[in-house]
């Protein structure tokens, strides 16, 4: 990914342009397959990114219905079902009867699943600690406060429709003959 400065955008402050650019770079770096492989190696685990996301989400709450988990993760229920089957096979989650509705099932972590999540969290924390080793305690505290606020505000506004000008509509259209949109593929390879 190029480290070029972001281009100015009409009607948007330079600070917002810079924040969007930095967030895009951070998302790219954090989401790379190589980064996930490093995390799994540090944690001593062999799980794909989707399984880690499911495990961490279950760990962050009480036992949960698979459908609720799918909604939380904004994915199809079948995706969560596949992940849960994999995690059940390796002994990280179990399904239990919902005490409020015996027909429904909840998913919860096993002791092995909780231990795996703790290993992932510890490896992740070590990585963050290494990346921020040169920061002062005051800088870390200010960053944590502002980052927490950023996440809260992003979550609060995720359902708010964007009011984009007409020019923001993508110029490309899928090609019916090939069924493949090469422009979209090129665009998705570099944020």
């Amino acid at each position: 990914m190029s480290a070029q400065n972001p281009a100015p955008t009409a009607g948007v402050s330079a600070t917002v342009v810079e924040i969007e650019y930095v967030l895009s770079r951070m998302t790219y770096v954090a989401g790379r397959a190589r980064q996930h492989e490093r995390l799994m190696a540090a944690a001593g685990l062999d799980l794909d990114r989707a399984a880690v996301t499911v495990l961490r989400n279950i760990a962050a709450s009480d036992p949960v219905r698979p459908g609720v988990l799918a909604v939380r993760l904004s994915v199809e229920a079948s995706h969560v079902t596949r992940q849960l089957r994999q995690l059940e096979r390796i002994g990280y989650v179990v399904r239990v009867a919902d005490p409020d509705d015996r027909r429904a099932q909840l998913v919860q972590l096993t002791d092995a699943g909780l231990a795996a999540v703790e290993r992932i969290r510890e490896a992740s924390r070590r990585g963050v600690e290494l990346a921020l080793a040169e920061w002062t305690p005051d800088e870390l505290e200010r960053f944590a406060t502002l980052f927490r606020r950023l996440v809260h505000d992003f979550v609060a506004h995720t359902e708010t429709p964007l009011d984009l000008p007409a020019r923001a509509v993508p110029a490309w259209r899928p090609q019916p003959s090939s069924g493949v949109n090469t422009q979209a593929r090129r665009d998705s390879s570099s944020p």
Side-chain angles (χ1 to χ4, degrees):
M1 178 169 185
S2 170
Q4 297 173 356
N5 290 334
T9 304
V12 177
S13 78
T15 304
V16 169
V17 170
E18 179 66 16
I19 291 169
E20 186 277 332
Y21 175 74
V22 171
L23 286 173
S24 292
R25 289 208 21 99
M26 186 67 194
T27 301
Y28 170 76
V29 169
R32 291 184 330 182
R34 188 176 348 176
Q35 181 65 24
H36 178 75
E37 290 166 6
R38 289 180 65 195
L39 177 64
M40 290 299 96
L45 298 169
D46 184 22
L47 296 169
D48 63 32
R49 286 183 276 189
V52 170
T53 300
V54 168
L55 276 178
R56 290 185 97 164
N57 199 284
I58 295 169
S61 67
D62 290 330
V64 62
R65 288 184 182 190
V68 171
L69 188 58
V71 169
R72 273 192 210 155
L73 297 174
S74 298
V75 298
E76 297 294 323
S78 61
H79 175 76
V80 168
T81 299
R82 278 191 304 276
Q83 292 302 321
L84 291 175
R85 270 194 236 122
Q86 173 192 348
L87 293 169
E88 281 179 297
R89 263 194 312 275
I90 59 178
Y92 286 175
V93 300
V94 293
R95 294 176 193 257
V96 295
D98 184 339
D100 298 330
D101 180 355
R102 303 299 273 172
R103 297 169 295 170
Q105 291 184 326
L106 300 174
V107 181
Q108 66 184 29
L109 294 179
T110 62
D111 289 342
L114 185 56
V117 169
E118 284 305 317
R119 289 166 65 180
I120 293 164
R121 287 177 178 158
E122 181 57 32
S124 182
R125 288 177 191 136
R126 282 194 314 267
V128 170
E129 186 175 50
L130 286 171
L132 302 177
E134 300 297 317
W135 291 41
T136 66
D138 185 53
E139 288 172 326
L140 290 171
E141 184 59 39
R142 283 194 326 243
F143 177 70
T145 299
L146 291 172
F147 201 69
R148 193 177 307 111
R149 180 177 174 191
L150 174 74
V151 171
H152 176 270
D153 290 349
F154 268 52
V155 169
H157 292 93
T158 56
E159 299 303 318
T160 304
L162 293 176
D163 186 21
L164 297 175
R167 73 184 194 297
V169 175
W172 58 266
R173 297 288 181 252
Q175 301 300 317
S177 59
S178 69
V180 175
N181 184 336
T182 56
Q183 179 66 38
R185 194 173 339 127
R186 280 193 302 272
D187 291 345
S188 69
S189 66
S190 62

